[in-house]
Every structure is written in C-alpha cells, then in structure tokens.
Amino acid sequence: MISISRNYPLKHITTFGVAANAAGFVEVRSITELQEVLQQKQFANIKILGGGSNMLWTKNYDGLLIHIHSKGVEIVEENNQNVLVAVAAGESWHDFVLWALENDLGGVENLALIPGSVGAAPIQNIGAYGVEIESCFEKCTAVEIASGNIKTFDKSDCAFGYRNSVFKTTLKDQYAICTVYLKLQKKPHAIRTDYGAIETALGNRKPTIQNIAQAVIEIRSSKLPDPKTLGNCGSFFKNPVVPLHQYKQLQKRYPSIPHYPVDTTLVKIPAAWLIDTLGFKGHREGDAGVHQNQPLVLVNYGAAKGHEIYALAQKIKQAVLENFGITLEEEVNIY
Ligand code: EPU
C-alpha cells in the first residue's frame, strides 16, 4: 500500500515558496498508483498538485495533496503532416517543449519556459506570445477523484477560454489529468512571430521553431523572475476584458493606455499597465512584493506568508478598482 505522509510541508514544492502544511501528501507515478490512493478514502478533501506553479497557500490544507509524478512522451499516431503525442501529466512542460524542438516538431515553441507540469497545462489553457495550448490540444484522459474511473475529454469537452477550462470551473478539483494528447506539426506551418517582442528578439535569426523558442526564452528570462531564485507564480492576475465604452472613457484620461481588441464590443487591457500606472512596480511590503520588471508578477523575497502575499494582491485590486473601475481577477489558485 502506498503510504501517505502526514502534516507535510509545502514550502519547497510550490513555486511561491510560502510555508504551509498539508494534512496528507503522497506522490504517485502512475494511474494505477493514483487509483490505489483514491481507493484508500482517508481524506474528505483531495487536491492534485502538478508543478505547484499556480498555487498560493494562505493557510494549512486539511486534506490530501496528491503530487502527480508520471513520466513519458510517446508518438501514438503519425502522418506526413502531423504527429499525435501522448504526454504523461507529471512531465515538466518545458522539458516537453525541449523534446518537441529536438524532434523538430512545431506547435509549442512559443510556450517555452512556462513553469509547471503537462497535466496542469490544459487546466488553465496556458498561453504566451500569441499561442495557447488549446491550439494543439486533441484530448486528455483524467481520473475522476470521487470514483477512480478514467474518462476521456475531447477538446470540445474542455471549454477552453483565456486562462480557463472546464477543469477550473464546473469540474474544479474533480479530476486528475493523466495523459495529454497534443498534435504537433512535422513541417511547422503555423509559426507565430507577430506577438509582442518576438520579432525584435529574433533579430537576424531565421524564424525556425528552435530560434522562436530561444527568443521566447530570452524575453521571459529577461523580465520574469526564476521561481528557483525568487518565489512567484507568474502572472498573478488575468488581463481584464472591459466593454469598449469603458475603454474609451479610460482613453480620455490616459491617451496612451495599451489595449488589444477582443471583438467589436470588448477590449483587453494589460493588468501590468494598470498596476504599473498606480506606482506598484517594485513595491514591497515585508517579504511580499511586486516584481520590478513585470508588475503582474507578485514575488516572495523569502519569508512572506501566503496571507501576506494575498493581502498585497487585495490592496492592488482595490487600488485598480478605485482608480480605473476595473475588477482584476486572480489567475493563481488561492487556497
Ligand atoms: N506593461 C507595463 N509595465 C510593465 C510591463 C508591462 O505597462 O512593467 C504593459 C505594456 O503595455 C505591455 C503589456 O503590459 O505591452 C503586456 O505586457 P507583457 O507583454 O509582458 O504581457 P502580459 O499581458 O503582462 C501575458 C501573460 C503572460 C505571458 C505574456 C506573453 C496573462 C495574465 N499573462 O502577460 O503569461 O507570458 O502575456 O504572452 O495573460 C502567466 O500566465 O503566468 C504568464 C506569465
């Protein structure tokens, strides 16, 4: 029988690096092990841990945390154009991107260096530089936590949206994703270099998938803090989407407000700009802070408690609401 650790410290297994304990903790390496743990029914509450890069613990957890550690990348179908790869949930997302690049398979190069595990990637439809995982996602298998049964979710079942999916909404904490099936391109044809700083970062280099990934790695490492040296969970908030008329009002006050049209009635505004404009960049309260290069990222300078980071986030939200009439929504899961 797989043994469950009690009162387990989470500080070093989540990228925010805040102290909290889980009443139970176990690492599983396969679907069978996961089902075996679920059968034990020792805890009323269960959560799944992937890379721990999108969680903020504000208090101890009274349930069982299951760390998915399954490994493996396998090509399961192939034709002249594409391959379908089955990737185990416990693989590191970035290691998988490196595997794709080594095998000259396109589709995930813009998503290089995103922290976290493959199993966690569809939950929040990870995205960067104009690409989201949904663009190559085919299906995934997942174990239902209550029953231990395996279910397949096709792309249309996942209700993907901006940093969102069914696994974050109606099915939150109900399934453990086990295997993710992604369709990659043998002759990459859907290369995206038009977003943000990629073209500038590429410079004279040819837009091959390897060079695009390299450019993304350069951009990300220049402005996003490495969780190994400074605790963080990437973007803390989502970029808010506001009605066009609200954006136009704001534009009168701030003629240079950056914005991206979503459709004819909605506009996305970078939360980083809102936070920066209010002077929070580099702001620090004890060991909780706002990163100096990317104000959308909250950081832990070492000994910040989860509730202190959360309090700083609420202060920012309040200031953004008072000044811009916009309610920021957390991207990070708060527990
Ligand atoms: N900005 C400022 N001040 C700053 C930094 C940025 O005003 O100090 C403004 C600028 O106008 C800039 C805009 O914010 O053009 C957008 O900034 P950036 O390109 O850095 O991207 P972002 O919208 O802040 C999003 C994702 C990131 C992803 C990048 C690149 C969200 C919540 N975040 O950030 O994802 O890497 O785009 O595609 O959508 C994550 O989800 O954890 C994450 C890091």
Side-chain angles (χ1 to χ4, degrees):
M1 194 164 94
I2 301 168
S3 81
I4 293 173
S5 307
R6 303 281 164 166
N7 212 19
Y8 193 87
L10 303 177
K11 187 170 167 75
H12 297 294
I13 54 169
T14 52
T15 60
F16 245 131
V18 298
N21 287 345
F25 178 86
V26 68
E27 205 169 87
V28 296
R29 294 176 186 276
S30 65
I31 297 176
T32 325
E33 283 190 7
L34 171 62
Q35 287 170 320
E36 201 184 302
V37 166
L38 294 175
Q39 261 170 16
Q40 293 184 21
K41 300 220 182 286
Q42 293 190 33
F43 291 85
N45 297 323
I46 292 180
K47 283 191 195 302
I48 304 296
L49 174 74
S53 54
N54 214 32
M55 289 180 153
L56 177 64
W57 294 95
T58 58
K59 53 183 182 299
N60 289 335
Y61 179 48
D62 63 1
L64 171 65
L65 198 61
I66 303 179
H67 191 190
I68 307 283
H69 229 269
S70 52
K71 298 284 172 198
V73 184
E74 196 190 338
I75 294 179
V76 289
E77 270 174 43
E78 187 165 2
N79 62 26
N80 288 342
Q81 302 286 321
N82 301 301
V83 297
L84 184 66
V85 282
V87 195
E91 286 284 345
S92 126
W93 173 262
H94 182 63
D95 287 352
F96 165 65
V97 172
L98 295 179
W99 176 92
L101 296 171
E102 273 160 26
N103 288 279
D104 228 2
L105 295 168
V108 288
E109 57 281 358
N110 293 45
L111 306 179
L113 217 60
I114 294 186
S117 67
V118 167
I123 296 178
Q124 58 153 349
N125 189 15
I126 57 166
Y129 305 102
V131 176
E132 291 174 320
I133 193 178
E134 69 165 299
S135 61
C136 60
F137 182 96
E138 281 283 301
K139 62 179 178 181
C140 68
T141 57
V143 167
E144 189 180 22
I145 291 171
S147 66
N149 294 337
I150 298 181
K151 182 176 159 143
T152 299
F153 289 86
D154 290 328
K155 185 174 177 171
S156 57
D157 301 323
C158 295
F160 287 124
Y162 166 57
R163 292 298 190 280
N164 212 359
S165 78
V166 72
F167 302 108
K168 246 190 133 172
T169 51
T170 45
L171 298 183
K172 190 173 164 67
D173 291 335
Q174 290 182 39
Y175 282 87
I177 293 179
C178 295
T179 307
V180 179
Y181 293 80
L182 300 171
K183 193 178 189 179
L184 301 180
Q185 304 146 18
K186 282 186 174 172
K187 298 182 190 102
H189 52 80
I191 277 177
R192 290 273 324 246
T193 58
D194 54 327
Y195 191 97
I198 294 197
E199 235 143 47
T200 317
L202 265 177
N204 297 329
R205 291 175 283 185
K206 281 197 192 120
T208 61
I209 56 172
Q210 289 78 8
N211 286 342
I212 291 171
Q214 192 51 43
V216 167
I217 289 170
E218 286 162 16
I219 303 167
R220 289 187 76 97
S221 358
S222 72
K223 57 181 193 183
L224 293 172
D226 179 353
K228 289 196 188 88
T229 49
L230 188 61
N232 76 88
C233 270
S235 299
F236 195 91
F237 301 104
K238 292 184 185 182
N239 286 325
V241 173
V242 302
L244 185 63
H245 63 85
Q246 188 179 3
Y247 158 71
K248 286 200 165 146
Q249 287 298 323
L250 286 169
Q251 200 190 26
K252 284 186 198 147
R253 270 166 65 204
Y254 302 97
S256 63
I257 184 169
H259 61 285
Y260 314 100
V262 174
D263 56 29
T264 51
T265 58
L266 297 169
V267 178
K268 193 185 270 185
I269 296 177
W273 182 87
L274 300 170
I275 299 169
D276 193 356
T277 302
L278 295 178
F280 278 109
K281 205 167 173 170
H283 177 78
R284 182 169 173 171
E285 295 188 3
D287 266 1
V290 179
H291 193 246
Q292 59 213 2
N293 297 338
Q294 173 41 291
L296 196 47
V297 178
L298 301 191
V299 296
N300 174 10
Y301 285 100
K305 304 233 167 37
H307 69 84
E308 292 169 340
I309 295 173
Y310 184 67
L312 175 58
Q314 298 319 298
K315 190 172 185 174
I316 292 169
K317 269 178 90 163
Q318 190 57 32
V320 167
L321 182 62
E322 278 166 18
N323 284 276
F324 302 105
I326 293 175
T327 303
L328 290 181
E329 197 187 319
E330 285 87 1
E331 193 208 276
V332 169
N333 294 300
I334 318 279
Y335 298 119

